Amino acid sequence: MRREWTEDEIKYLNGIWYRNRPIKNAARFLDRSVASVNKKAVSLGIYKYIDVFGAKTLAKCFNVDFRVVTRWIEKFDMPCEKKTYNGINHYDIDLEEFWKWAYKHRGIINWSKYGRGTLPLEPEWVLTEKNNYKSSNGRKKWTQQEILMVRSLLRNGKSYKEIASEMGRTYNSICHLMKSGKVY
């Protein structure tokens, strides 16, 4: 159940930010989540979020390997600024641009792994995506009957995203199946 913020909690929060204390400590003291404390601080204007994140930080927020984020960059044109230091690539991702891109590419992101409130500027639609994300067949082998069903859905003009939703699979699993050549 949602708990309203008291005046004392807000005063404490202002003091914490003024003294540059860790957010985790404030969350523990207030018996609230880190995301809740962050959100309240932003709404009060006492916390200025960092609007650029690295690809590794973004991967941690989605609880995925760094290579997943680089795949979003390379295959799905996720906006970022690529920098190379000592032969190592670094990706700076502007959060406003990321959220615009994520909205357009909702079907390729595994929302079940995203930690709500871990990124600032989180739009309202993220909760809906996270709640609606279904992948009951994750990492299960395709049966012959499922492959026949995918063929039928393709013949009926369904998109990969629609097929994934109907089959309880991810968009990427449908792409992988199509590349395997098992469908045709």
Side-chain angles (χ1 to χ4, degrees):
M1 185 168 181
R2 198 172 187 169
R3 208 173 74 207
E4 294 296 318
W5 284 80
T6 66
E7 285 297 318
D8 288 340
E9 288 175 321
I10 293 170
K11 285 178 187 174
Y12 175 80
L13 196 57
N14 276 308
I16 284 292
W17 250 270
Y18 179 74
R19 292 189 304 271
N20 254 347
R21 298 283 187 240
I23 298 167
K24 288 180 184 177
N25 293 355
R28 194 176 314 120
F29 179 81
L30 296 170
D31 193 29
R32 293 184 179 270
S33 69
V34 172
S36 173
V37 173
N38 268 331
K39 192 172 184 177
K40 187 63 177 177
V42 169
S43 74
L44 293 171
I46 58 175
Y47 174 55
K48 302 298 184 212
Y49 57 83
I50 300 169
D51 59 354
V52 176
F53 275 69
K56 287 183 180 179
T57 304
L58 189 64
K60 285 179 186 176
C61 293
F62 279 88
N63 294 305
V64 295
D65 189 88
F66 169 74
R67 291 172 290 193
V68 171
V69 175
T70 57
R71 188 169 43 248
W72 293 345
I73 292 167
E74 294 164 4
K75 289 189 177 181
F76 299 103
D77 298 321
M78 186 175 83
C80 72
E81 188 177 332
K82 184 177 177 181
K83 298 176 183 176
T84 305
Y85 300 109
N86 299 328
I88 299 171
N89 292 331
H90 295 273
Y91 302 95
D92 288 339
I93 300 158
D94 179 271
L95 282 178
E96 286 185 33
E97 293 299 315
F98 168 75
W99 286 121
K100 289 176 190 174
W101 174 88
Y103 183 76
K104 291 177 186 172
H105 295 85
R106 295 183 308 268
I108 65 162
I109 298 171
N110 183 347
W111 292 101
S112 68
K113 292 184 173 187
Y114 173 64
R116 289 244 18 251
T118 56
L119 287 173
L121 306 176
E122 183 179 295
E124 294 296 321
W125 58 262
V126 172
L127 177 60
T128 306
E129 285 299 319
K130 189 158 174 62
N131 290 339
N132 290 340
Y133 191 84
K134 291 182 253 173
S135 180
S136 59
N137 292 322
R139 299 215 181 259
K140 281 176 65 179
K141 284 193 171 200
W142 287 92
T143 65
Q144 193 58 38
Q145 186 176 0
E146 289 174 318
I147 292 171
L148 291 172
M149 177 71 134
V150 170
R151 280 185 194 156
S152 172
L153 292 170
L154 282 169
R155 274 191 235 115
N156 291 330
K158 299 275 187 179
S159 70
Y160 287 7
K161 185 177 178 181
E162 292 168 327
I163 293 170
S165 177
E166 198 161 320
M167 300 293 297
R169 300 275 186 157
T170 63
Y171 171 84
N172 288 334
S173 72
I174 301 297
C175 291
H176 188 266
L177 178 67
M178 299 309 291
K179 288 178 186 175
S180 73
K182 293 179 182 177
V183 174
Y184 295 107

